[in-house]
């Protein structure tokens, strides 16, 4: 009999209860016990829901208070030495200090504790961010957290036998920082394996039958010796807990060259993502040794469309025929962490659209249904299959997904539309003469704190407790206050603050046709931060200007230049749930055309500088190098199509953050933005290495203020970062700015940090 399984479930809570509890805990409003109780309740409910749905392999330890990679580091005691982990377990204070930094002031205001956060970067090609392991030379590992054991016991006590999820040791090391001094991974692995052996031994003793070892790095390009490393590691682990059945889970791609390695690992099961890597299906069936079960990831864990059950069953039935149904595990393609909880609250979606969608809860049902059809025959679920076929046909034929005007505009795009009128060398003096900014101009990335008042005003308006008029007045006041603030702090290029936006993608999604917003479709982005990706289901166009009103208003209130502020086409694509019935490149081009109109409208409205954010450009990069060129071509093309409708003297900015850009720096150059602001402070300007190698042609602002931490950087620290930047970036092309937008921060920190930042820029101007 085939088994219905799951790899991981969302953990933020159906109503973001975890976010509220943890943030309340940080702020001192919620006690530790209460916060942990909320966490326990969410786990309990998730297990119950999965059991109810009919799943047989239900994950545990997929829960996290912040991030699963951070949990893995805590589990094996892999905290960098600066966090001063003693002999005991990683306590909450240390755990959150690693996640977000910790600053404690003494009675005299001096910094008693001043720990920066660990680095954070995007989890493969998702918009989820993980804490980057920092494996120090000679690091000693030991079990320093009881979490996987405690959660397994917790579920057992509730009558749920779970499959604990661990990040596999090889991926844990491979996900670590790849910076000098080069960490020799081999000794680290040897130090780590005994800890994993002990963990598995303890899980076996606790009664676990299966353990899921996530080794997503198997989908990446790996050096040859990495394959031997996997083999070696799993031989050790399999021997350490012979009664345990290990399931090595891969996801987000095809294993390609690594498939053979994975199939030969001495484990009980291998999970394959058949959404992202359908081609590996045939090979896996043909080559899997008879002892290996295959977990077939057939329900898309990365997108929200209803599964084509008939076609999926064809594949599953074939698998059952060829390897035997007892070796088939039916599964989502990856953890369901990346999709929202359930469609229940989406009352505002019309029935047709709603019927096309499947969120995490529905996906559990799909897995269970497929398993049932496989085990009992299609007749057992004939009604469900019929309904599914009818819905999918309806979606294919729906006129709502198609717009002729958009199609003909797409066909008329020319190469010339993707080129600025003159090269940067010609544009720069024109822009300098117009903007008259000092050397090392200071600016911010766009958003300012979204305080409780801002959120309340928005909620009031949405709930009909205030009028459009009142809400607009409120936003105008906030905008104007923020402009005064920026003038007072002494910033050179201002922003309007983005108070009208909940989210940089959702805002545009709501204003363009072809998208639909959800009410409660939250997914975790990092830590307690969640986003609500809009659903892009049809051809995209812009019925009217989307941002011009706010930019024009802001510019009318100050003499200093204000940047118009847009989210770029690749980021909108990347951070939406995108239709799966046409190539992403085409969808991206449709978005670009809509945004191009917005850019030229902003220019006509008098904006001298326009920023088009593309923080997700890097995360959209295919995981495998062979596919990079094609992606970068269409992605950079879409950005240029958006940006290049303007005159030479209009300054185009772009912004990127929280990824490694070093490898695609040439493509970033090819975007030909006049100025790019780019995250750099957490990694202490490692980014600049790229600029040593490649002379970036235009202007750059490497971030000097890490906005993901409440910690306020000192002026001296920022001067130091800027001086390092000046070694590789010509002084007349160096801008001074934070790493990213300030919306998640509180005003007092922002004020202190920006004053220090402006003072740091002044130091450079004054030759200090
Ligand atoms: N302009 C956006 C902001 O400041 C950029 C955010 C981002 O890069 N993620 O919020
Ligand atoms: Zn950013």
């Amino acid at each position: 009999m085939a088994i219905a399984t799951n790899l991981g479930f969302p953990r933020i809570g159906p109503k973001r209860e975890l976010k509220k509890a943890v943030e309340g805990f940080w702020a001192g409003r919620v006690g530790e016990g209460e916060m942990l109780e909320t966490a326990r309740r969410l786990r309990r409910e998730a297990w119950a829901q999965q059991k109810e749905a009919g799943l047989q392999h239900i994950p545990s330890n997929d829960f996290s208070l912040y991030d699963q990679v951070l949990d893995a580091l805590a589990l094996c005691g892999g905290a960098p030495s600066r966090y001063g982990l003693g002999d005991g377990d990683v306590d909450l204070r240390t755990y959150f200090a690693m996640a977000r930094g910790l600053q404690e002031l003494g009675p005299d205001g001096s910094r008693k504790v001043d720990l920066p956060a660990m680095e954070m970067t995007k989890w493969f090609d998702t918009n989820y961010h993980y804490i980057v392991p920092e494996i120090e030379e000679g690091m000693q590992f030991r079990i320093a957290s009881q979490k996987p054991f405690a959660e397994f016991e917790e579920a057992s006590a509730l009558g749920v036998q779970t499959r604990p999820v661990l990040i596999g040791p090889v991926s844990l090391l491979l996900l670590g920082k790849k910076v000098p001094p080069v960490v020799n991974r081999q000794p680290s692995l040897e130090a780590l394996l005994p800890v994993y052996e002990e963990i598995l031994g303890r899980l076996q003793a606790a009664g676990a039958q299966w353990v899921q070892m996530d080794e997503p790095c198997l989908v990446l390009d790996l050096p040859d010796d990495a394959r031997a490393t996997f083999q070696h590691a799993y031989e050790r682990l399999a021997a350490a807990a012979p009664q345990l059945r290990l399931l090595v889970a891969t996801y987000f791609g095809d294993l390609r060259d690594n498939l053979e390695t994975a199939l030969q690992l001495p484990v009980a099961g291998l999970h394959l993502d058949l959404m992202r890597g359908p081609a590996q299906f045939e090979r896996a069936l043909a080559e899997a040794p008879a002892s290996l079960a295959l977990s077939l990831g057939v329900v898309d864990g990365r997108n929200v469309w209803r599964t084509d059950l008939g076609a999926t069953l064809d594949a599953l039935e074939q698998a059952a025929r060829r390897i035997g149904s007892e070796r088939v595990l039916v599964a989502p393609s990856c953890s369901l962490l990346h999709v929202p909880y359930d469609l229940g609250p989406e009352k505002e979606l019309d029935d047709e659209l709603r019927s096309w969608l499947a969120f995490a809860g529905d996906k559990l049902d799909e897995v269970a249904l497929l398993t049932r059809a496989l085990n009992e025959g299609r007749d057992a679920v004939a009604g469900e299959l019929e309904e599914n076929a009818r819905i999918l046909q309806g979606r294919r034929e729906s006129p709502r997904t198609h717009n002729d005007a958009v199609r003909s505009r797409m066909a008329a795009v020319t190469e010339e539309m993707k080129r600025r009128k003159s090269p940067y060398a010609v544009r720069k003096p024109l822009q300098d003469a117009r903007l008259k900014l000092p050397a090392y101009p200071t600016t911010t990335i766009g958003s300012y704190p979204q305080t409780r008042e801002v959120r309340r005003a928005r909620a009031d308006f949405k709930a009909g407790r205030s009028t459009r008029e009142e809400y607009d007045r409120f936003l105008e006041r906030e905008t104007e206050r923020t402009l005064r603030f920026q003038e007072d702090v002494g910033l050179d290029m201002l922003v309007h603050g983005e108070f009208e936006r909940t989210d940089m993608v959702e805002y545009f999604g709501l204003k363009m046709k072809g998208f639909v917003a959800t009410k409660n479709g939250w997914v975790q982005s990092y830590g307690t931060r969640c986003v609500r990706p809009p659903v892009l289901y049809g051809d995209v166009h812009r019925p009217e200007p989307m941002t011009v009103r706010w930019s024009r208003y802001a510019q009318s209130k100050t003499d200093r230049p204000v940047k118009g502020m847009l989210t770029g086409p690749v980021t909108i694509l990347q951070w939406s749930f995108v239709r799966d019935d046409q190539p992403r490149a085409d969808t991206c081009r449709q978005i670009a055309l809509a945004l191009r109109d917005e850019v030229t409208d902003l220019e006509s409205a008098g904006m001298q500088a326009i920023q088009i954010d593309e923080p997700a450009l890097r995360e959209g990069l295919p995981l495998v190098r062979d596919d990079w060129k094609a992606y970068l071509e269409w992605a950079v093309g879409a950005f240029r199509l958006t940006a290049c409708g303007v005159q030479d003297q209009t300054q185009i900015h772009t912004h990127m953050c929280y990824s490694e850009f070093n490898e695609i720096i040439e493509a970033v150059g090819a975007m030909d933005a006049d100025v790019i602001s780019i995250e750099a402070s957490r990694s202490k300007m490692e980014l600049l290495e790229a600029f040593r190698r490649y002379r970036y042609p235009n202007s750059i602002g490497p971030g000097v203020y890490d906005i993901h931490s409440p910690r306020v950087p000192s002026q001296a620290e920022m001067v130091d970062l800027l001086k390092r930047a000046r070694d590789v970036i010509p002084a007349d092309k160096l801008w001074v700015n934070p790493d990213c937008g300030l919306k998640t921060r509180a005003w007092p920190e922002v004020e202190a940090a920006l004053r220090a930042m402006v003072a740091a820029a002044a130091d450079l101007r004054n030759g200090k």
Side-chain angles (χ1 to χ4, degrees), residues 162-373:
T162 57
R163 182 172 87 187
V165 182
L166 301 172
I167 308 258
V170 186
S171 288
L172 186 64
L173 293 177
L174 288 172
L175 287 168
K177 268 166 72 74
K178 306 177 192 74
V179 289
V182 178
V183 177
N184 187 340
R185 295 205 174 84
Q186 215 53 42
S188 318
L189 184 68
E190 290 313 308
L192 195 53
L193 284 177
V195 182
Y196 270 82
E197 289 172 336
E198 195 183 333
I199 295 165
L200 293 178
R202 280 183 58 184
L203 287 171
Q204 175 178 282
Q209 289 165 6
W210 284 82
V211 171
Q212 174 181 326
M213 305 291 289
D214 282 6
E215 291 284 9
C217 288
L218 275 165
V219 307
L220 303 178
D221 293 308
L222 293 175
D224 283 341
D225 64 337
R227 292 199 274 263
T229 304
F230 274 105
Q231 183 66 28
H232 165 69
Y234 281 87
E235 270 165 18
R236 290 266 307 261
L237 299 184
Q243 269 98 58
L244 266 189
R245 272 171 283 182
L246 297 182
L247 174 83
V248 168
T250 68
Y251 36 82
F252 304 152
D254 194 303
L255 291 174
R256 298 160 304 120
D257 296 356
N258 302 328
L259 181 60
E260 198 187 324
T261 309
L263 288 170
Q264 297 310 322
L265 293 176
V267 293
L270 175 68
H271 174 81
L272 300 172
D273 180 340
L274 297 181
M275 300 309 296
R276 290 293 179 89
Q280 59 192 341
F281 179 59
E282 180 51 43
R283 263 187 73 198
L285 292 186
E287 294 172 25
S291 56
L292 189 74
L294 291 178
S295 167
L296 302 174
V298 290
V299 169
D300 198 344
R302 292 284 299 275
N303 213 334
V304 293
W305 305 105
R306 211 171 258 267
T307 304
D308 182 339
L309 296 175
T312 307
L313 262 177
D314 291 342
L316 290 174
E317 283 164 357
Q318 191 198 346
R321 262 196 315 277
R322 292 186 39 196
I323 64 171
S325 65
E326 66 292 343
R327 281 171 63 203
V328 172
L329 278 59
V330 182
S333 60
C334 59
S335 165
L336 298 176
L337 177 67
H338 309 287
V339 292
Y341 271 83
D342 71 303
L343 277 160
E346 307 305 329
K347 306 258 186 289
E348 279 150 43
L349 289 182
D350 61 87
D351 290 346
E352 182 185 30
L353 214 96
R354 202 186 144 94
S355 74
W356 298 349
L357 302 176
F359 287 0
D362 311 291
K363 287 173 190 286
L364 296 177
D365 294 339
E366 290 185 336
V367 167
L369 194 97
L370 287 164
T371 311
R372 198 160 156 226

Side-chain angles (χ1 to χ4, degrees), residues 445-447 498 504 565 613 615 655 657 740-741:
I445 308 305
S447 57
E498 301 182 23
M504 63 187 291
M565 193 61 63
D613 292 325
H655 163 72
C657 50
C740 192

Side-chain angles (χ1 to χ4, degrees), residues 502-551:
T502 38
D503 173 273
M504 63 187 291
V505 168
E506 190 192 56
Y507 180 79
F508 291 92
L510 280 173
K511 296 206 177 287
M512 289 194 271
K513 296 287 177 212
F515 287 85
V516 65
T518 67
K519 246 184 97 185
N520 196 51
W522 298 101
V523 293
Q524 190 178 9
S525 169
Y526 68 88
T528 56
R529 197 160 156 63
C530 304
V531 293
R532 207 165 26 175
V535 176
L536 195 174
Y537 67 90
D539 288 348
V540 175
H541 62 104
R542 181 196 76 146
E544 57 184 23
M546 305 182 281
T547 66
V548 174
R549 179 205 191 287
W550 294 109
S551 290

Side-chain angles (χ1 to χ4, degrees), residues 115-164:
L115 283 169
M118 291 179 72
E119 272 183 51
M120 184 163 69
T121 198
K122 281 168 185 159
W123 180 241
F124 296 81
D125 57 356
T126 73
N127 183 26
Y128 176 80
H129 304 60
Y130 73 96
I131 297 288
V132 184
E134 239 175 274
I135 307 297
E136 293 168 348
E137 204 122 30
M139 205 168 208
Q140 298 297 313
F141 299 103
R142 65 185 170 82
I143 294 183
S145 153
Q146 305 307 315
K147 184 175 177 292
F149 318 114
E151 285 182 19
F152 180 78
E153 301 285 1
E154 191 180 302
S156 298
L158 295 165
V160 184
Q161 164 80 27
T162 57
R163 182 172 87 187

